[in-house]
Amino acid sequence: MSGTSATPSSGPVKALHLGSGAPLLLLHGFLLSPHCWEQTAARLAARCEVFAPALAGHWGGPEFSDDDYTVPTIADRVEAQLDDLGWRTCHIAGNSLGAWVGFELARRGRARTLTAIAPAGGWRTPSAAQLYAAAKFIALTPLIEFGRKLGDFPTDSRVVRRAVAHLLVRNVEDVPRADIANQIRAALHCPALRPLVAATLRGPGLADMSELNTPVRLILADSDRFLPAQTYGRRFLRELPESADRIMMRRAGHVPMLETPERVANLIAEHIYASRDHLRAV
């Protein structure tokens, strides 16, 4: 393991790196950090070599240029890390922004399989869905900038922790206090907030997915309060190849790894091994 321990830490993490076996890349969502994968990664490490980096511009991640901050440039940084590991290809699981980056890496031929969990980027440009997604992040901007001035108050406050948890998960009581505190710290230490909102407004969403050759498992959450599946899952359901798995997680929110890590680990592992054995998972 590199960059952290099996127990949740409270400082920035450049990457989680643990386990042995099939190479597996885990990508976190916007404003978050590798901390959100800690419990899931620990379960997958029994069968995979797991690498979960901090994305560029996020807490613990590489620096970035404000003028060139887009999903393809984030993917460039991740691809360079894969090269450093000697991973020509790997299995990829991503959540939200991380899933969007995962689709970009799949187009580049770097993904053996892709598990996309509550993926972002499934909007047309321009569209009401695109503007609504950007508006949500714009609304968070003053709150995050104010929170940066309050020291430890945002992570120590039970009210703040519950409000943040409510955005990320369905079952707030199922998420340990330390895990939510780390997501708050990640948001407060994410300089990419404004550049990525701008990129969301001016740039395109995902390119057409119908020709993807990578085995894809799409996982939507029925209680996603941030990118509701009814709106942001439609294009994925429509465009992904018929061979792609389409799963609706019940009683789960936008970042299900925080509230049900074992369930998410099982869904990722099932997809990896079904594809390896040329079987289709149900």
Side-chain angles (χ1 to χ4, degrees), residues 36-268:
C36 69
W37 286 111
E38 283 180 320
Q39 300 304 321
T40 299
R43 289 163 169 79
L44 288 165
R47 61 189 88 186
C48 298
E49 181 181 352
V50 180
F51 181 64
L55 296 178
H58 289 71
W59 194 34
E63 294 182 358
F64 66 95
S65 168
D66 287 14
D67 297 331
D68 192 30
Y69 196 73
T70 63
V71 169
T73 59
I74 298 172
D76 291 342
R77 297 293 186 94
V78 176
E79 199 166 15
Q81 291 174 305
L82 296 182
D83 292 340
D84 290 341
L85 289 171
W87 290 6
R88 177 65 191 87
T89 61
C90 61
H91 301 282
I92 299 175
N95 170 234
S96 194
L97 172 63
W100 190 352
V101 174
F103 277 106
E104 177 67 25
L105 292 169
R107 293 184 191 285
R108 302 180 185 189
R110 304 303 296 255
R112 301 182 190 180
T113 63
L114 173 61
T115 303
I117 304 169
W123 47 73
R124 295 292 184 185
T125 305
S127 68
Q130 178 194 23
L131 296 174
Y132 186 49
K136 287 190 173 185
F137 289 118
I138 291 171
L140 289 175
T141 303
L143 297 175
I144 290 173
E145 292 184 348
F146 180 65
R148 289 170 180 163
K149 302 175 182 178
L150 298 179
D152 293 333
F153 174 77
T155 53
D156 292 342
S157 168
R158 183 173 182 271
V159 172
V160 174
R161 291 197 308 272
R162 286 189 66 87
V164 171
H166 183 76
L167 282 176
L168 301 179
V169 301
R170 183 189 189 279
N171 306 295
V172 173
E173 302 300 333
D174 291 346
V175 185
R177 170 180 172 173
D179 286 351
I180 289 299
N182 276 328
Q183 306 322 305
I184 295 172
R185 292 187 185 98
L188 296 177
H189 293 83
C190 179
L193 176 57
R194 290 181 180 275
L196 195 55
V197 169
T200 300
L201 283 169
R202 69 171 181 262
L206 278 160
D208 185 86
M209 294 170 274
S210 60
E211 300 301 321
L212 275 177
N213 295 319
T214 302
V216 176
R217 167 164 280 188
L218 170 68
I219 301 175
L220 301 174
D222 69 344
S223 300
D224 191 333
R225 300 183 179 102
F226 212 83
L227 296 177
Q230 298 92 325
T231 300
Y232 293 96
R234 288 178 181 175
R235 199 177 148 217
F236 295 97
L237 294 170
R238 183 174 64 251
E239 283 189 15
L240 283 171
E242 187 177 344
S243 60
D245 292 341
R246 294 161 169 84
I247 294 173
M248 179 67 76
M249 285 190 75
R250 302 297 179 186
R251 300 178 59 81
H254 186 60
V255 189
M257 307 88 71
L258 291 174
E259 57 187 325
T260 177
E262 186 166 357
R263 191 175 169 197
V264 173
N266 287 340
L267 287 169
I268 294 170

Side-chain angles (χ1 to χ4, degrees), residues 15-51:
L16 306 175
H17 193 183
L18 61 159
S20 61
L24 171 61
L25 174 69
L26 301 178
L27 300 173
H28 64 78
F30 186 40
L31 296 177
L32 303 183
S33 74
H35 290 93
C36 69
W37 286 111
E38 283 180 320
Q39 300 304 321
T40 299
R43 289 163 169 79
L44 288 165
R47 61 189 88 186
C48 298
E49 181 181 352
V50 180
F51 181 64

